């Protein structure tokens, strides 16, 4: 939406050249530059574009392992973003991953768990987020992952059962984690 208003993205920073090199063959140079841009609206637009393309089947001809690796890289950076809108744009991408790519059953559970392992702590840390939409997105994705045969409830709940990184957290963090666990049972 409003793609003509986005402007030109910055070149990919030198520190991200290796990651960008693995994204460009599948996503193209423009989307990759948008994803690594300093401007949050370009990062947001890149995540939205990839989610739309995944839902429309644009990546169906690519090898599923390669698609999963690219999505894992995007999500690892997107979920750690400081901008709430960028984090929220990870939600539709995570749901497309679960409903579209993993639902086909072409990937082994072990390789899916290996790619998603770095993402799950970031997703669990968003449970109980001060922004209610981020909290809901994180909870919904955990439930989607639990229902996905390739991921499973045990893997989805594992990081929610671990103590939060911070020593003192608001009660809403524990409340959100308990609501998730109750939904999974």
């Amino acid at each position: 939406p409003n793609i003509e208003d986005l402007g030109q993205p910055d070149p990919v920073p030198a520190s991200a050249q290796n990651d960008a090199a693995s994204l460009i063959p599948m996503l193209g140079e423009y989307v990759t530059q948008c994803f690594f841009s300093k401007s949050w609206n370009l990062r947001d637009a890149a995540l939205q574009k990839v989610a739309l393309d995944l839902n429309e089947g644009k990546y169906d001809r690519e090898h599923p392992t390669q698609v999963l690796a690219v999505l894992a890289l995007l999500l690892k950076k997107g979920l750690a973003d400081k901008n709430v809108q960028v984090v929220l744009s990870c939600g539709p991408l995570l749901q497309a991953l679960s409903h579209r790519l993993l639902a086909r059953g072409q990937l082994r559970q072990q390789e899916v768990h290996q790619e998603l392992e770095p993402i799950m702590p970031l997703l669990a840390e968003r449970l109980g987020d001060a922004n209610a939409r981020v909290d809901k997105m994180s909870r919904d994705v955990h439930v989607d992952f639990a229902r996905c045969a390739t991921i499973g409830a045990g893997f989805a709940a594992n990081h929610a059962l671990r103590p939060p990184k911070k020593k003192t957290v608001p009660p809403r963090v524990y409340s959100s984690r308990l609501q998730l666990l109750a939904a999974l049972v």
Side-chain angles (χ1 to χ4, degrees):
N2 301 327
I3 194 161
E4 59 278 348
D5 297 336
L6 289 177
Q8 197 60 25
D10 306 322
V12 176
S15 61
Q17 287 294 333
N18 288 340
D19 288 342
S22 62
L23 298 179
I24 289 173
M26 189 181 311
L27 305 180
E29 193 168 342
Y30 180 75
V31 173
T32 303
Q33 285 180 333
C34 286
F35 182 71
F36 287 103
S37 175
K38 293 176 187 171
S39 175
W40 71 266
N41 60 340
L42 291 172
R43 295 192 307 272
D44 175 44
L47 288 167
Q48 287 182 32
K49 172 73 171 139
V50 174
L52 285 170
D53 288 349
L54 183 60
N55 279 323
E56 291 173 358
K58 181 178 178 185
Y59 307 121
D60 287 353
R61 293 200 172 143
E62 303 285 342
H63 194 278
T65 306
Q66 183 184 2
V67 175
L68 179 62
V70 165
L71 295 179
L73 181 62
L74 289 174
L75 291 165
K76 186 176 177 183
K77 184 168 169 40
L79 286 169
D81 203 289
K82 292 185 188 312
N83 186 281
V84 172
Q85 193 56 46
V86 174
V87 174
L88 286 171
S89 290
C90 291
L93 186 55
L94 285 158
Q95 289 174 337
L97 168 69
S98 177
H99 297 290
R100 180 88 182 155
L101 180 66
L102 301 179
R104 290 189 271 167
Q106 296 176 324
L107 294 165
R108 293 187 344 253
Q109 189 176 41
Q110 181 181 358
E111 59 188 343
V112 172
H113 285 188
Q114 185 177 348
E115 287 291 343
L116 294 182
E117 185 62 37
I119 296 167
M120 295 307 291
L122 298 170
L123 198 55
E125 287 298 315
R126 294 297 183 166
L127 289 167
D129 195 274
N131 186 307
R133 295 181 304 158
V134 172
D135 175 45
K136 182 179 181 333
M137 178 273 298
S138 180
R139 213 171 327 124
D140 290 347
V141 170
H142 273 89
V143 170
D144 281 348
F145 278 5
R147 290 181 180 153
C148 179
T150 312
I151 299 174
F155 183 77
N158 186 18
H159 290 280
L161 290 169
R162 296 180 186 174
K165 286 182 183 177
K166 297 177 184 173
K167 297 265 186 216
T168 56
V169 293
R172 70 176 175 270
V173 171
Y174 294 110
S175 174
S176 183
R177 288 175 182 229
L178 288 171
Q179 287 174 1
L180 170 65
L181 295 172
L184 296 180
V185 175

